[in-house]
Amino acid sequence: MHDYSLEQAYIMKDRKETLDIVERAYEEARKHTCEGHVATYIPELGKVNPDQLGICIYRLDGEKICFGDYNVRFTMQSISKVMSLCVALEILGMEEVFKYVGAEPSGEAFNSIAELDLNSNKPYNPLINSGALAIAGLLVDKVSFYDMIAFARRICVDDDITFNEEAYESEMKTCSRNRAIAYLLESKGIIQADVEETLKFYTKLCALNVTAESLANFAKILASDGVCIKTGKRYLSGSTVRIVKTLMLTCGMYDGSGTYAIQVGIPTKSGVGGGLLCVSDKRAGIGVFGPALDDKGNSVAGIKLLEQISEHLRLNLFFDPDWDDLINKEKLI
């Protein structure tokens, strides 16, 4: 059991004030669902109601706060990239993983092929499609898809996570760009496993059904250095968690990651299914569902919601309550 003293630092506001802040932010963010569009390039995702919005905040002190469509099932899509990266780092270690994928923001769209073909022999980072396909190529012969479902259920504390076969079939019929990326990676020696099996493995992980609450459970583990505060059980090594959170901050919102880091300041990974996995370090795990997306593939209303709660609940990664109190007390500035 880690010796976390939640009373000494990183204390969030009390329940009533938190509820009021989150409810106001939720009601305001709902107005923005009309500004985005569901991911119609995957036919199955095009059927989703764009007006949905839900949030679950799971504080490290054990309190869970939920609003809206927090228990609606949707597919993980690119949020699964965080999960597969965690598994790859645990099994293979950092040195082996980063032989095949970089750790830098790409500045390109999540499904871009240009930078891989023209500028680099390996994907820029594991949280874009090319990088996640490289990670899938490392895992496909070492773990089964059923092992990954079991891991997802365990890390998300959700035994009801299932494989959405309709979404998977829909994506496989429209994955020409991902297939092109995968074969390009094979030509560069990055993918050494069977390309079609790698592509299926990657796409199946994208098609796992989760909820905002599932994601909050996962994020809470990441927020507490890979340990369940309640039981003391370690799910992931501290080094894996630190790598993953860093990449989520710098690369997790695709080519909108820099702007998001300024506006919200919470390590986050988005998915075109509308999910957001958000890690407020040493404070809370947050899951959001808002399927109406902006032109970068990120949830429009979800980002608006997170902007508000990050500011008013002091969740920004760079906010230090002790320093803030010291400045106000001593008037150092």
Side-chain angles (χ1 to χ4, degrees), residues 191-213:
I191 290 180
Q192 298 175 6
D194 181 90
V195 176
E196 290 298 323
E197 291 304 313
T198 297
L199 187 63
K200 290 176 185 176
F201 184 81
Y202 164 85
T203 309
K204 283 180 178 179
L205 294 178
C206 291
L208 292 181
N209 280 326
V210 293
T211 66
E213 187 172 12

Side-chain angles (χ1 to χ4, degrees), residues 68-262:
D69 302 302
Y70 69 92
N71 59 356
V72 171
R73 293 271 161 192
F74 59 94
T75 53
M76 288 186 90
Q77 299 301 324
S78 286
I79 295 171
S80 66
K81 294 169 181 172
V82 175
M83 186 177 71
S84 57
L85 177 59
C86 285
V87 173
L89 288 168
E90 293 290 290
I91 292 175
L92 300 170
M94 180 181 72
E95 186 175 344
E96 183 67 14
V97 167
F98 288 106
K99 284 181 185 176
Y100 298 92
V101 65
E104 302 296 337
S106 72
E108 302 288 343
F110 63 88
N111 60 353
S112 173
I113 197 170
E115 89 289 348
L116 180 62
D117 194 26
L118 300 176
N119 302 327
S120 177
N121 282 325
K122 64 182 182 181
Y124 273 70
N125 67 73
L127 300 186
I128 55 178
N129 288 18
S130 57
L133 283 161
I135 296 296
L138 294 175
L139 291 177
V140 67
D141 293 331
K142 295 179 176 61
V143 296
S144 71
F145 174 61
Y146 299 101
D147 291 332
M148 295 300 291
I149 292 179
F151 177 76
R153 289 172 176 168
R154 188 164 62 251
I155 202 76
C156 293
V157 196
D158 182 358
D159 289 337
D160 293 325
I161 289 176
T162 55
F163 171 55
N164 188 324
E165 191 166 354
E166 291 79 11
Y168 167 72
E169 295 293 343
S170 182
E171 289 188 61
M172 286 300 294
K173 289 175 182 176
T174 57
C175 72
S176 297
R177 181 174 287 268
N178 281 343
R179 179 170 277 110
I181 291 171
Y183 277 101
L184 180 58
L185 289 171
E186 183 197 39
S187 75
K188 292 173 176 285
I190 299 297
I191 290 180
Q192 298 175 6
D194 181 90
V195 176
E196 290 298 323
E197 291 304 313
T198 297
L199 187 63
K200 290 176 185 176
F201 184 81
Y202 164 85
T203 309
K204 283 180 178 179
L205 294 178
C206 291
L208 292 181
N209 280 326
V210 293
T211 66
E213 187 172 12
S214 311
L215 298 183
N217 291 333
F218 184 4
K220 186 188 177 189
I221 297 296
L222 295 174
S224 57
D225 197 44
V227 174
C228 175
I229 294 293
K230 184 177 180 180
T231 65
K233 179 180 178 180
R234 177 166 288 285
Y235 286 80
L236 296 166
S237 68
S239 61
T240 289
V241 171
R242 287 188 290 275
I243 291 167
V244 167
K245 287 187 290 192
T246 301
L247 287 168
M248 287 172 68
L249 180 68
T250 58
C251 311
M253 301 293 280
Y254 303 121
D255 48 325
S257 296
T259 300
Y260 179 84
I262 292 169

Side-chain angles (χ1 to χ4, degrees), residues 5 12 66 194 283:
S5 178
M12 295 173 64
C66 303
D194 181 90
R283 295 172 177 86

Side-chain angles (χ1 to χ4, degrees), residues 267-287:
T268 300
K269 183 70 195 83
S270 64
V272 295
L276 293 166
L277 172 75
C278 319
V279 182
S280 181
D281 206 40
K282 299 180 179 65
R283 295 172 177 86
I286 304 169

